[in-house]
Amino acid sequence: MSILKEINHTDLSESRTEHDSMGDVQVPINSYWGAQTERSRNNFKIGPKASMPEEIIEAFGFLKKAAAFANKDLNVLTADKRDLIAKVCDEIIEGKLFAEFPLVIWQTGSGTQSNMNANEVISNRIHVLQGNEMGEGKLYVHPNDDVNKSQSSNDTFPTAMHIAAYKILIDVTIPGIEKLRDTLRVKSETFKNVVKIGRTHLMDATPLTLGQEISGYVSQLDHGLKALRHTLDHLSELALGGTAVGTGMNTPEGYDLAVAKYIADFTGLPFRTADNKFEALSAHDALVESHGALKQIAVSLMHIANNIRMLASGPRCSIGELHLPENEPGSSIMPGKVNPTQNEAVTMVAAQVMGNDVAITVAGSNGQFQLNVFKPVMAANFLQSARLIGDACCSFNEHCALGIEPNYDGIKKHLESSLMLVTALNPHIGYDNSAKIAKAALKDNKSLRESAIGLGLVTDEQFSEWVRPEDMIGTIK
């Protein structure tokens, strides 16, 4: 692990002098970063805990390693430099050097300083691995000329965005959604014969089964997963090889294909070079599209979690048709109170993802000419949404969905007292007569049976034959 985890990065009482094209700057003595990183660290002190996401840093490890291999294959980098760069990139991928990336999201919109942060860390770490002291002697592997060879911040950062976005969707988001979807599918089958009252407009409606109700949630998540997977193809396109404006200036022929293949090999994911590098640099429609699918899932999760907590509301003075797991006390003043906390967490996550989608939409629509300069905020919001949804689905599944059980007494009570069962009489006595029965029952506080017989519109036998909730649920599974 980095020795920087043991020092205060803001303390320059022990420092070394680094030099770049703008002059000298003091850098913490043991840091692996250099002048350009330090300038950014000092110039963008914006927001608490707004560090560049670790997923982006890991992605830089993959792409810098791939670039070194491609450059060696194309004879513009020596084998020993390739191997040294690869060794440090492996440390980055393993998370050993994350402390060496102190920059915040709120920096240049191209992510230039974060790209240079990676270049400097790799170069200086190699210097130390070769037995040298920081700040002493000439660097064998130059941050710009070697680590950044055939690259520009303008094509490395969007490449890192796509690597990070694709990986987190595959590793975290999709598995989390699938886990919750699968649990709800089992619940839908388990409760397929539990007949309950339906509700529309927050008012009583005709019956359905609890399994049918939950099947709607399963279908929502299935559609969301389908939409999300569809976006992976666009995310698999990488900008690397476009360099500054998409033309590929200063890259050897075939570099873009070679570097994409290495990234695919190193990550085990089907990355490929972008068909159009100009789009890949100036627009980030792939992230907008993919986050749109995340927003769709957030909408579904908001709907599902709200419905479940309302169906479980009570336990005695509200709907009370579901029992949810009791995970922790719900009040510091009301003994015995238990709240649907997992549902609340999911709905807050959904709200955050919807907000993130606004930021990504605005950022994605504002790329000017050959470069979108909202890259870091798009990456940060996307990665937060993807992780939140994956984690929230796992948490909701484990601490709520798996333990959902019907409250049979509550379901029976509402089913038997619902006025909308009168709908079953429509084919026999007509809409108007059925409405008379329902209104009379409500006004006189009587059952539908009592009202129907009292009005002389049906007999007791006819009511028993025609008003059967279990026959009103249709054939849809």
Side-chain angles (χ1 to χ4, degrees):
M1 300 297 288
S2 167
I3 57 175
L4 282 178
K5 291 184 181 298
E6 303 173 3
I7 68 171
N8 181 353
H9 290 175
T10 62
D11 182 9
L12 291 178
S13 58
E14 291 188 272
S15 63
R16 69 178 193 271
T17 301
E18 287 279 332
H19 182 85
D20 63 8
S21 60
M22 298 186 70
D24 293 342
V25 62
Q26 296 301 116
V27 178
I29 191 168
N30 288 322
S31 68
Y32 287 137
W33 71 74
Q36 293 199 43
T37 302
E38 185 65 18
R39 290 189 190 282
S40 178
R41 197 167 72 96
N42 292 330
N43 292 341
F44 298 98
K45 296 179 179 179
I46 303 173
K49 298 181 180 179
S51 299
M52 188 62 62
E54 290 183 353
E55 294 87 356
I56 293 291
I57 298 169
E58 178 192 52
F60 266 107
F62 283 116
L63 75 88
K64 294 292 180 182
K65 179 179 178 180
F69 271 77
N71 283 325
K72 164 58 180 66
D73 289 352
L74 297 169
N75 300 314
V76 293
L77 189 71
T78 62
D80 59 334
K81 288 186 176 182
R82 175 201 63 190
D83 294 341
L84 288 167
I85 292 171
K87 180 178 178 62
V88 178
C89 286
D90 286 339
E91 291 184 345
I92 293 173
I93 293 166
E94 292 166 9
K96 294 179 179 179
L97 298 175
F98 282 170
E100 308 293 337
F101 293 81
L103 303 186
V104 295
I105 299 160
W106 318 112
Q107 54 169 279
T108 179
S110 62
T112 297
Q113 285 93 33
S114 284
N115 180 51
M116 277 307 303
N117 188 178
N119 294 333
E120 291 175 341
V121 167
I122 293 169
S123 180
N124 284 322
R125 174 63 175 158
I126 290 171
H127 190 64
V128 171
L129 288 175
Q130 291 179 315
N132 303 300
E133 294 292 329
M134 288 301 303
E136 296 180 2
K138 183 178 180 181
L139 297 175
Y140 176 63
V141 175
H142 193 278
N144 294 83
D145 297 337
D146 296 317
V147 183
N148 199 61
K149 183 177 288 292
S150 307
Q151 303 155 60
S152 163
S153 300
N154 297 352
D155 67 352
T156 59
F157 202 91
T159 297
M161 290 164 67
H162 278 218
I163 294 171
Y166 198 113
K167 282 188 89 282
I168 199 169
L169 291 180
I170 293 296
D171 295 343
V172 178
T173 315
I174 290 175
I177 300 167
E178 289 176 333
K179 187 175 292 186
L180 177 58
R181 186 270 319 271
D182 292 345
T183 293
L184 293 175
R185 180 175 287 155
V186 171
K187 294 291 180 180
S188 175
E189 180 65 22
T190 302
F191 305 143
K192 67 181 180 181
N193 295 320
V194 180
V195 182
K196 65 184 291 293
I197 199 64
R199 296 175 178 86
T200 60
H201 304 270
L202 293 179
M203 308 297 285
D204 300 347
T206 55
L208 76 168
T209 71
L210 181 56
Q212 289 173 327
E213 189 167 36
I214 294 175
S215 76
Y217 309 153
V218 176
S219 183
Q220 281 186 279
L221 295 179
D222 269 335
H223 285 302
L225 283 165
K226 182 179 180 180
L228 191 57
R229 291 192 185 100
H230 179 75
T231 70
L232 291 175
D233 183 65
H234 200 177
L235 279 178
S236 70
E237 295 188 14
L238 302 180
L240 209 56
T243 61
V245 297
T247 61
M249 182 179 179
N250 289 347
T251 63
E253 185 177 354
Y255 168 80
D256 58 343
L257 295 172
V259 75
K261 185 179 185 305
Y262 273 117
I263 291 173
D265 291 343
F266 295 152
T267 61
L269 297 171
F271 290 113
R272 66 185 193 280
T273 192
D275 295 332
N276 189 300
K277 304 297 191 302
F278 305 104
E279 181 218 8
L281 272 62
S282 68
H284 294 307
D285 293 351
L287 262 74
V288 175
E289 175 190 17
S290 190
H291 198 276
L294 291 176
K295 182 188 69 173
Q296 175 185 338
I297 293 166
V299 169
S300 297
L301 291 174
M302 180 74 82
H303 175 253
I304 293 166
N306 273 335
N307 277 357
I308 289 173
R309 69 171 164 181
M310 285 190 284
L311 288 172
S313 59
R316 292 186 173 179
C317 301
S318 191
I319 296 176
E321 291 185 350
L322 295 180
H323 289 305
L324 303 185
E326 297 183 354
N327 296 318
E328 61 272 319
S331 173
S332 61
I333 189 173
M334 293 175 280
K337 193 174 192 299
V338 179
N339 297 328
T341 52
Q342 288 294 318
N343 305 65
E344 292 165 5
V346 167
T347 54
M348 286 191 287
V349 163
Q352 182 65 57
V353 172
M354 294 175 197
N356 287 350
D357 194 69
V358 174
I360 287 175
T361 300
V362 172
S365 67
N366 271 282
Q368 290 83 35
F369 304 117
Q370 277 65 64
L371 189 68
N372 177 287
V373 288
F374 289 77
K375 300 182 194 301
V377 72
M378 293 187 76
N381 278 274
F382 186 99
L383 294 169
Q384 184 191 47
S385 292
R387 185 165 296 282
L388 282 176
I389 287 178
D391 289 352
C393 284
C394 287
S395 179
F396 187 73
N397 180 69
E398 179 181 355
H399 299 293
C400 182
L402 284 168
I404 292 174
E405 293 294 336
N407 177 359
Y408 292 101
D409 291 338
I411 287 173
K412 181 180 179 181
K413 171 187 170 184
H414 292 311
L415 183 63
E416 292 180 347
S417 63
S418 173
L419 298 178
M420 289 304 100
L421 297 181
V422 77
T423 306
L425 295 176
N426 282 3
H428 305 285
I429 63 174
Y431 181 94
D432 291 339
N433 283 332
S434 299
K436 288 179 183 178
I437 294 172
K439 291 179 179 180
L442 181 61
K443 178 181 178 182
D444 300 334
N445 195 27
K446 292 182 178 180
S447 68
L448 283 176
R449 181 185 296 271
E450 291 172 331
S451 179
I453 295 171
L455 291 172
L457 293 172
V458 299
T459 66
D460 186 58
E461 292 77 13
Q462 287 173 326
F463 191 92
S464 296
E465 179 183 356
W466 294 336
V467 184
R468 295 171 55 85
E470 63 272 21
D471 294 336
M472 302 170 65
I473 59 174
T475 58
I476 299 175
K477 301 297 182 182

CSV table of all heavy atoms in Angstrom, one decimal, residues 35 46 118 123 126-128 210 212 217 246 272 285 296 400 406 422 430 442 450 466:
chain,number,residue,atom,x,y,z
A,35,ALA,N,4.1,17.7,-10.4
A,35,ALA,CA,3.7,19.1,-10.4
A,35,ALA,C,2.3,19.4,-10.9
A,35,ALA,O,1.6,20.2,-10.3
A,35,ALA,CB,4.7,19.9,-11.3
A,46,ILE,N,-12.6,22.3,-4.0
A,46,ILE,CA,-14.1,22.5,-4.1
A,46,ILE,C,-14.8,21.3,-3.6
A,46,ILE,O,-14.6,20.1,-4.1
A,46,ILE,CB,-14.5,22.7,-5.6
A,46,ILE,CG1,-13.8,23.9,-6.2
A,46,ILE,CG2,-16.0,22.8,-5.7
A,46,ILE,CD1,-14.0,24.1,-7.7
A,118,ALA,N,-2.3,10.2,-13.2
A,118,ALA,CA,-1.9,8.8,-13.4
A,118,ALA,C,-0.5,8.7,-14.1
A,118,ALA,O,0.3,7.8,-13.7
A,118,ALA,CB,-3.0,8.1,-14.4
A,123,SER,N,5.1,7.1,-13.4
A,123,SER,CA,6.5,7.4,-13.7
A,123,SER,C,7.3,7.5,-12.4
A,123,SER,O,8.4,6.9,-12.3
A,123,SER,CB,6.5,8.8,-14.4
A,123,SER,OG,7.8,9.1,-14.7
A,126,ILE,N,7.7,4.0,-10.7
A,126,ILE,CA,8.8,3.3,-11.4
A,126,ILE,C,10.2,3.8,-10.9
A,126,ILE,O,11.1,3.0,-10.6
A,126,ILE,CB,8.7,3.4,-12.9
A,126,ILE,CG1,7.5,2.7,-13.4
A,126,ILE,CG2,9.9,3.0,-13.6
A,126,ILE,CD1,7.1,3.0,-14.9
A,127,HIS,N,10.3,5.1,-10.7
A,127,HIS,CA,11.6,5.7,-10.2
A,127,HIS,C,12.0,5.1,-8.9
A,127,HIS,O,13.2,4.7,-8.7
A,127,HIS,CB,11.4,7.2,-10.1
A,127,HIS,CG,12.6,8.0,-9.9
A,127,HIS,ND1,13.7,8.0,-10.8
A,127,HIS,CD2,13.0,8.7,-8.8
A,127,HIS,CE1,14.6,8.8,-10.3
A,127,HIS,NE2,14.3,9.2,-9.1
A,128,VAL,N,11.0,4.9,-8.0
A,128,VAL,CA,11.3,4.3,-6.7
A,128,VAL,C,11.6,2.8,-6.8
A,128,VAL,O,12.5,2.3,-6.1
A,128,VAL,CB,10.1,4.6,-5.7
A,128,VAL,CG1,10.3,3.9,-4.4
A,128,VAL,CG2,10.0,6.1,-5.4
A,210,LEU,N,-52.2,-11.8,-4.9
A,210,LEU,CA,-50.9,-11.1,-4.5
A,210,LEU,C,-49.8,-11.5,-5.4
A,210,LEU,O,-48.9,-10.7,-5.8
A,210,LEU,CB,-50.6,-11.6,-3.1
A,210,LEU,CG,-49.3,-11.0,-2.4
A,210,LEU,CD1,-49.4,-9.5,-2.5
A,210,LEU,CD2,-49.2,-11.5,-1.0
A,212,GLN,N,-50.1,-12.1,-8.7
A,212,GLN,CA,-50.3,-11.3,-9.9
A,212,GLN,C,-49.7,-9.9,-9.6
A,212,GLN,O,-49.0,-9.3,-10.5
A,212,GLN,CB,-51.7,-11.2,-10.3
A,212,GLN,CG,-52.3,-12.5,-10.9
A,212,GLN,CD,-53.8,-12.4,-11.1
A,212,GLN,OE1,-54.5,-11.8,-10.3
A,212,GLN,NE2,-54.3,-13.1,-12.1
A,217,TYR,N,-44.2,-6.3,-10.6
A,217,TYR,CA,-42.9,-5.8,-10.2
A,217,TYR,C,-41.7,-6.5,-10.9
A,217,TYR,O,-40.7,-5.9,-11.3
A,217,TYR,CB,-42.7,-5.9,-8.7
A,217,TYR,CG,-43.8,-5.3,-7.8
A,217,TYR,CD1,-44.1,-5.8,-6.6
A,217,TYR,CD2,-44.6,-4.3,-8.3
A,217,TYR,CE1,-45.1,-5.3,-5.8
A,217,TYR,CE2,-45.7,-3.8,-7.5
A,217,TYR,CZ,-45.9,-4.3,-6.3
A,217,TYR,OH,-46.9,-3.8,-5.5
A,246,GLY,N,-9.9,13.6,-32.1
A,246,GLY,CA,-10.5,12.5,-32.8
A,246,GLY,C,-9.8,12.0,-34.0
A,246,GLY,O,-10.1,11.0,-34.6
A,272,ARG,N,-14.1,-2.5,-27.6
A,272,ARG,CA,-13.6,-2.4,-28.9
A,272,ARG,C,-13.4,-0.9,-29.2
A,272,ARG,O,-13.9,-0.1,-28.5
A,272,ARG,CB,-14.6,-3.0,-29.9
A,272,ARG,CG,-15.9,-2.2,-30.0
A,272,ARG,CD,-16.9,-3.0,-31.0
A,272,ARG,NE,-18.0,-2.2,-31.3
A,272,ARG,CZ,-19.1,-2.0,-30.5
A,272,ARG,NH1,-19.1,-2.6,-29.3
A,272,ARG,NH2,-20.1,-1.2,-30.9
A,285,ASP,N,-23.0,10.3,-25.4
A,285,ASP,CA,-24.4,9.8,-25.5
A,285,ASP,C,-24.5,8.4,-24.9
A,285,ASP,O,-25.6,8.0,-24.5
A,285,ASP,CB,-24.9,9.8,-27.0
A,285,ASP,CG,-25.0,11.2,-27.6
A,285,ASP,OD1,-24.9,12.1,-26.8
A,285,ASP,OD2,-25.2,11.3,-28.8
A,296,GLN,N,-34.7,4.6,-15.4
A,296,GLN,CA,-35.9,3.7,-15.6
A,296,GLN,C,-36.0,2.8,-14.4
A,296,GLN,O,-37.1,2.6,-13.9
A,296,GLN,CB,-35.8,3.0,-16.9
A,296,GLN,CG,-37.0,2.0,-17.1
A,296,GLN,CD,-36.8,1.2,-18.4
A,296,GLN,OE1,-36.1,1.6,-19.3
A,296,GLN,NE2,-37.5,0.0,-18.4
A,400,CYS,N,-35.6,-7.3,3.3
A,400,CYS,CA,-37.0,-7.0,3.1
A,400,CYS,C,-37.7,-8.1,2.2
A,400,CYS,O,-38.5,-8.9,2.7
A,400,CYS,CB,-37.3,-5.6,2.6
A,400,CYS,SG,-39.1,-5.2,2.5
A,406,PRO,N,-47.7,-12.7,3.4
A,406,PRO,CA,-49.1,-12.1,3.4
A,406,PRO,C,-49.6,-12.0,4.8
A,406,PRO,O,-49.3,-12.9,5.6
A,406,PRO,CB,-49.9,-13.1,2.6
A,406,PRO,CG,-48.9,-14.0,1.9
A,406,PRO,CD,-47.7,-14.0,2.7
A,422,VAL,N,-69.0,-5.7,-6.4
A,422,VAL,CA,-70.2,-5.6,-7.1
A,422,VAL,C,-70.0,-5.6,-8.6
A,422,VAL,O,-71.0,-5.9,-9.4
A,422,VAL,CB,-70.9,-4.3,-6.7
A,422,VAL,CG1,-70.3,-3.1,-7.4
A,422,VAL,CG2,-72.4,-4.3,-7.0
A,430,GLY,N,-76.7,-5.4,-14.9
A,430,GLY,CA,-76.3,-4.1,-15.5
A,430,GLY,C,-75.6,-3.2,-14.6
A,430,GLY,O,-75.6,-3.3,-13.3
A,442,LEU,N,-72.8,1.5,0.9
A,442,LEU,CA,-71.9,2.5,1.6
A,442,LEU,C,-72.7,3.4,2.5
A,442,LEU,O,-72.4,3.7,3.6
A,442,LEU,CB,-71.2,3.2,0.5
A,442,LEU,CG,-70.2,4.3,1.0
A,442,LEU,CD1,-69.1,3.7,1.8
A,442,LEU,CD2,-69.7,5.1,-0.2
A,450,GLU,N,-76.2,-7.8,1.7
A,450,GLU,CA,-77.4,-7.3,2.3
A,450,GLU,C,-78.1,-6.2,1.5
A,450,GLU,O,-79.3,-6.2,1.3
A,450,GLU,CB,-77.1,-6.7,3.7
A,450,GLU,CG,-76.6,-7.7,4.7
A,450,GLU,CD,-76.1,-7.1,6.0
A,450,GLU,OE1,-75.5,-6.0,5.9
A,450,GLU,OE2,-76.2,-7.7,7.1
A,466,TRP,N,-72.7,-15.6,-8.2
A,466,TRP,CA,-72.1,-14.6,-9.1
A,466,TRP,C,-70.9,-13.8,-8.5
A,466,TRP,O,-70.0,-13.4,-9.2
A,466,TRP,CB,-73.2,-13.6,-9.6
A,466,TRP,CG,-74.2,-14.2,-10.4
A,466,TRP,CD1,-74.1,-15.4,-11.2
A,466,TRP,CD2,-75.6,-13.7,-10.6
A,466,TRP,NE1,-75.3,-15.6,-11.8
A,466,TRP,CE2,-76.2,-14.6,-11.5
A,466,TRP,CE3,-76.3,-12.6,-10.2
A,466,TRP,CZ2,-77.5,-14.5,-11.9
A,466,TRP,CZ3,-77.6,-12.5,-10.6
A,466,TRP,CH2,-78.2,-13.4,-11.4
